[in-house]
Amino acid sequence: MTLTQLRQQFISGETTPSKAIEDLAAGISARDPQTQAYVSYDLDTALEAAGKADLSKPLGGLPIAIKDNINVFGQPCTCGSNFLVKGYTSNYNATAIKKLVDAGAIPFGRMNMDEFAMGSATENSALQPTRNPHDPTRIAGGSSGGSAAAVADLTAYAALGSDTGGSIRQPASHCGVVGLKPTYGRVSRFGLVAFASSLDQIGPLTNSVDDAALILQAIAGHDPQDTTSLNTPVPDYSAGINDGVAGMKLGIPAEYFGEGIHQGVRENVEKCIKLLESKGAEIIPISLPHTSHAVATYYVIAPAEASSNLSRFDGIRYGNRATNPDDIIDLYHQSRELGFGPEVKRRIILGTYVLSSGYYDAYYTRAQKVRQLITRDFKQAFETVDAIISPVTPTPARRIGTCTDDPLQDYLSDIFTIAANLSGIPAISVPCGTTAFDGADALPVGIQILAPHLGEQTMLRIAKAAEAVRS
Ligand code: GLN
């Protein structure tokens, strides 16, 4: 059931917010031991809020699952890390949560994720891997794997995730749900535990494009507590969403359809493009020539920012603290050594290296320059097209455990999603079919729609058309 349908049922009296939450709890007990999407949930607090729900509000009484790196007052916020599993409870609401609650929603459930959002499979969670509801031997994707899997498993009606290099769109694609990364600055990052601050955005994972618009409407907007928040009015994202794609120019970047894409992914995406064409869209071949540098650029900038952001986890201020240190330096060392997992350590070391004196210009400054070239590619493309269409990932969901000793393989799986973060533009993943892959009969495939800066309305309209041609 979508949020929109659930809301109608609340209004008609067919069900109530309390009943909807009890249904979720029953679904979690039945299915989540296998899927492992939830880190925790607080049924009593949610039921209390449900009892007081104001159904006249846009999200009145609707439960929304929250990735475990977004602070919700009074709840744990583990970030999938041993550092925060014990001894940390949020003492404030992230702005996105405050806005959801103001719109009537009920945050319910803390969703599993790769540690500090570093990963593409939720296998870097210190707590548990999340399994794909379509095939439990497969990854759910990541880092918002718990959010995506729960929405697909119908143990959540909708969820919030965060996307630094693809972490909303990639798991959405692997789990067959909708995942939207807003324009950088459209949704406040205040209260999102920072990974790479110039790339991070919060966004929705849902079972329909309408639901994604509904949640974006609630969480978007200026926030003085986030200095990168955009101070531009929020349009009505549902207005015009059904207007279709007739007359729209859709760019197909040659670089996103090259070698290495699984045939079933390519076929599904191409079929969806043909259907959009049959609905009146004009399909225009384009080039984004710096695409091949996106992954390398990201893996300089993101670890650099992460190494700085994660210095706050020192064993003094938050969570894990070494019990028997020799002195203060040893306290830092031991707390970080025991608190962080291998991927987080790898990123901190990489980031510290690229920022160190003597290497800063060779790596960090150069990466920032390439980032400008990638951004310019998009600017130029959007002079002739309204939006860009591509696959989300080169392959459907791989098997759990098949990539953990080769992080490079996982880094490469972000090849189509990372450029949107580097240039700050919005992008959405919409299910477009299924394909046989590596012994599985039918794994979900997503199509990605990238739009110009603040072009969420156009993007949602195309996404809605893509969703309609599929069903
Ligand atoms: N997979 C990418 C990484 O590990 C992106 C993660 C994300 O978007 N949070 O950095």
Side-chain angles (χ1 to χ4, degrees):
M1 190 172 358
T2 65
L3 279 184
T4 317
Q5 287 162 340
L6 183 61
R7 181 165 148 72
Q8 273 154 11
Q9 292 200 359
F10 288 168
I11 289 164
S12 70
E14 210 172 312
T15 190
T16 63
S18 305
K19 175 83 177 44
I21 289 169
E22 276 159 6
D23 287 349
L24 287 181
I28 295 166
S29 300
R31 294 191 295 285
D32 204 60
Q34 168 152 301
T35 305
Q36 303 191 143
Y38 278 78
V39 171
S40 63
Y41 62 90
D42 178 352
L43 189 57
D44 292 344
T45 305
L47 286 175
E48 198 186 312
K52 295 187 281 199
D54 177 353
L55 299 185
S56 67
K57 291 189 170 176
L59 300 177
L62 296 172
I64 296 181
I66 311 295
K67 186 175 181 178
D68 213 8
N69 60 351
I70 303 173
N71 282 282
V72 176
F73 177 82
Q75 296 194 8
C77 185
T78 70
C79 295
S81 179
N82 277 329
F83 219 111
L84 294 171
V85 165
K86 286 196 207 95
Y88 184 74
T89 303
S90 303
N91 58 4
Y92 69 109
N93 273 333
T95 300
I97 299 299
K98 183 179 177 302
K99 283 177 169 279
L100 278 185
V101 171
D102 286 349
I106 301 169
F108 177 65
R110 308 291 309 166
M111 310 318 292
N112 196 30
M113 55 182 283
D114 286 301
E115 186 174 3
F116 288 106
M118 298 172 190
S120 306
T122 318
E123 288 174 296
N124 295 339
S125 166
L127 304 150
Q128 61 208 21
T130 293
R131 302 196 182 96
N132 194 314
H134 295 268
D135 176 346
T137 67
R138 311 263 158 183
I139 60 165
S143 63
S144 312
S147 298
V151 173
D153 211 17
L154 308 181
T155 53
Y157 297 101
L160 288 189
S162 69
D163 191 313
T164 305
S167 276
I168 290 175
R169 292 160 285 156
Q170 186 259 21
S173 173
H174 280 352
C175 291
V177 304
V178 174
L180 187 158
K181 182 201 90 71
T183 302
Y184 182 76
R186 181 74 294 185
V187 175
S188 168
R189 292 181 296 107
F190 181 74
L192 166 68
V193 178
F195 163 11
S197 311
S198 77
L199 304 161
D200 299 338
Q201 268 293 285
I202 295 174
L205 294 104
T206 57
N207 273 315
S208 77
V209 173
D210 282 334
D211 284 2
L214 201 63
I215 293 187
L216 180 63
Q217 196 72 50
I219 62 177
H222 181 239
D223 178 14
Q225 285 179 292
D226 170 1
T227 52
T228 60
S229 169
L230 294 171
N231 196 354
T232 33
V234 178
D236 181 346
Y237 292 118
S238 299
I241 200 168
N242 295 315
D243 286 357
V245 288
M248 275 199 187
K249 293 186 167 76
L250 304 182
I252 312 298
E255 294 80 3
Y256 283 59
F257 290 83
E259 270 172 51
I261 302 182
H262 179 257
Q263 191 56 22
V265 171
R266 183 195 298 273
E267 281 166 12
N268 273 291
V269 173
E270 286 178 350
K271 194 175 78 194
C272 188
I273 293 171
K274 285 241 148 48
L275 287 164
L276 289 171
E277 189 173 23
S278 75
K279 298 285 171 198
E282 190 185 337
I283 304 301
I284 301 178
I286 58 163
S287 172
L288 298 167
H290 295 94
T291 300
S292 62
H293 302 300
V295 171
T297 306
Y298 173 87
Y299 279 99
V300 173
I301 292 172
E305 294 182 14
S307 70
S308 163
N309 277 324
L310 268 61
S311 64
R312 75 192 59 176
F313 298 101
D314 54 8
I316 311 263
R317 283 173 283 195
Y318 312 96
N320 187 55
R321 178 179 292 188
T323 39
N324 265 324
D326 295 339
D327 53 28
I328 181 97
I329 300 296
D330 192 42
L331 172 71
Y332 297 150
H333 281 170
Q334 278 198 46
S335 303
R336 286 167 74 80
E337 170 60 26
L338 298 172
F340 291 137
E343 184 60 27
V344 174
K345 287 178 187 159
R346 187 180 291 127
R347 305 278 178 115
I348 292 172
I349 292 167
L350 194 58
T352 307
Y353 181 78
V354 301
L355 289 176
S356 58
S357 82
Y359 292 107
Y360 187 95
D361 284 341
Y363 295 111
Y364 190 71
T365 309
R366 182 171 283 208
Q368 292 292 12
K369 287 181 181 163
V370 181
R371 183 178 191 172
Q372 288 311 315
L373 295 175
I374 290 167
T375 305
R376 202 168 68 192
D377 280 358
F378 282 117
K379 276 215 181 91
Q380 283 171 351
F382 289 128
E383 281 166 15
T384 47
V385 297
D386 297 301
I388 295 170
I389 312 283
S390 82
V392 183
T393 61
T395 69
R398 63 168 173 78
R399 287 178 203 275
I400 290 174
T402 50
C403 223
T404 32
D405 4 324
D406 184 3
L408 258 189
Q409 279 311 312
D410 263 15
Y411 293 0
L412 288 172
S413 77
D414 299 327
I415 189 150
F416 303 137
T417 50
I418 270 175
N421 302 78
L422 287 171
S423 57
I425 61 172
I428 191 170
S429 170
V430 183
C432 71
T434 59
T435 180
F437 174 63
D438 186 26
D441 295 336
L443 293 175
V445 174
I447 190 166
Q448 180 173 228
I449 302 154
L450 304 112
H453 195 70
L454 291 176
E456 276 86 354
Q457 278 176 305
T458 308
M459 183 175 86
L460 285 161
R461 191 167 140 193
I462 301 164
K464 187 79 195 271
E467 180 180 57
V469 291
R470 176 177 156 258
S471 44

